[in-house]
Amino acid sequence: MDSTADPKGKRPLYQEDGLAYARAAAAAAAAAPDEEKAEAKPSSSSEEAKEPEPEAEDQEEMPPLVLVAEDGVEVSISRPAARMSHMLRLLMEDSCADGPIPAPNVHSDILELVVEYCEKHGPYYDPEASERARNPFPPFPVELTPTVSSIKPVTYVDPDPHGLKDWNKEFISLDNSTLFEVILAANYLNIEDLLDLGTTTVADMMSGRKPEEIREIFEIENDYTPEQEAEVRKENAWAFED
């Protein structure tokens, strides 16, 4: 059975499922209007020419996208900000983002935080540059173009001209529950930069700490008996060496 046939009958857990779910919902919404609202056919060949689609620069003038959280609350996001989500970017490219876009695994409070992040970073986001930063080493063979001179001018480039690093640090200062919900939402919407920020924050919280300290930070109950814990330490002695 096609998993996208009934968008109301499935709660997607992964990015691919979420994209198919959103596309199916958009298709269902597009088919809803009555036949009376269908466009009339052009009477002459001169009227058959389609209007050109708006360029990327004109996205700011287009209406925002509407995301529907799991509790039914609608959250708007501008199109430049929505580009940070790989899932939403594909929906816009496929012209499937004109209607409400379901986010069934994300509560409205978390969705608003995600949108806040995207709106802050969206004006400066370049998908191609982000991909190059994520994969700095190109696949072999590498073709090097000849240079006029091996001497390069020394210029200072501000690594954070928009102050996003300090903003990120303040933004991600969340309680553990909210932090993990933001990470799950970033994974569902495929927002790689936000996903990196969240997971790096968790890794920093764990770095250099003992298992007991990590359990206390994340409120993890130790369900091992003393005998089981001793056995685990024995089997993985290398992990407990100072």
Side-chain angles (χ1 to χ4, degrees):
M1 181 182 293
D2 187 357
S3 63
T4 63
D6 182 8
K8 295 183 179 179
K10 182 181 179 184
R11 285 176 57 86
L13 297 178
Y14 303 103
Q15 297 165 359
E16 293 80 2
D17 293 337
L19 181 58
Y21 184 90
R23 280 175 171 161
D34 298 333
E35 295 181 358
E36 297 179 358
K37 298 182 180 179
E39 296 180 0
K41 295 183 179 180
S43 57
S44 62
S45 59
S46 61
E47 297 177 359
E48 294 180 357
K50 295 182 179 180
E51 296 182 0
E53 295 183 359
E55 299 293 337
E57 294 80 1
D58 298 333
Q59 288 186 351
E60 294 183 359
E61 301 177 0
M62 299 179 66
L65 274 59
V66 178
L67 307 178
V68 183
E70 67 175 358
D71 52 345
V73 176
E74 295 185 350
V75 180
S76 298
I77 180 172
S78 67
R79 291 179 181 255
R83 294 183 307 122
M84 296 200 66
S85 165
H86 185 66
M87 187 184 85
L88 296 180
R89 191 161 69 246
L90 290 179
L91 288 176
M92 288 189 290
E93 291 174 357
D94 294 344
S95 300
C96 295
D98 295 333
I101 301 173
N105 292 335
V106 187
H107 192 271
S108 58
D109 293 343
I110 303 300
L111 191 58
E112 288 174 356
L113 283 174
V114 172
V115 169
E116 179 185 355
Y117 175 89
C118 293
E119 294 289 358
K120 180 66 177 181
H121 287 255
Y124 320 110
Y125 180 70
D126 180 358
E128 294 183 0
S130 179
E131 180 64 24
R132 288 195 299 269
R134 208 170 294 279
N135 301 285
F137 301 104
F140 291 96
V142 179
E143 297 181 1
L144 300 178
T145 56
T147 57
V148 177
S149 172
S150 60
I151 302 176
K152 302 296 182 181
V154 179
T155 57
Y156 173 74
V157 179
D158 188 350
D160 188 24
H162 307 294
L164 296 178
K165 186 175 181 179
D166 292 338
W167 188 90
N168 285 347
K169 185 176 181 180
E170 182 177 354
F171 170 82
I172 207 65
S173 298
L174 306 168
D175 60 85
N176 291 342
S177 177
T178 304
L179 174 60
F180 284 114
E181 288 292 336
V182 168
I183 291 174
L184 291 174
N187 180 66
Y188 173 73
L189 294 170
N190 201 353
I191 307 174
E192 293 181 338
D193 288 9
L194 179 55
L195 184 60
D196 286 350
L197 176 62
T199 53
T200 300
T201 300
V202 173
D204 290 341
M205 295 169 66
M206 299 172 60
S207 178
R209 298 184 182 275
K210 297 180 180 180
E212 295 78 9
E213 295 174 325
I214 295 175
R215 291 195 190 101
E216 183 178 354
I217 292 174
F218 296 109
E219 300 178 357
I220 301 174
E221 181 181 357
N222 182 12
D223 55 357
Y224 280 89
T225 64
E227 293 77 13
Q228 290 175 329
E229 187 169 349
E231 184 66 22
V232 171
R233 287 178 178 272
K234 182 179 178 180
E235 294 176 355
N236 303 276
W238 59 271
F240 298 93
E241 294 177 356
D242 293 334

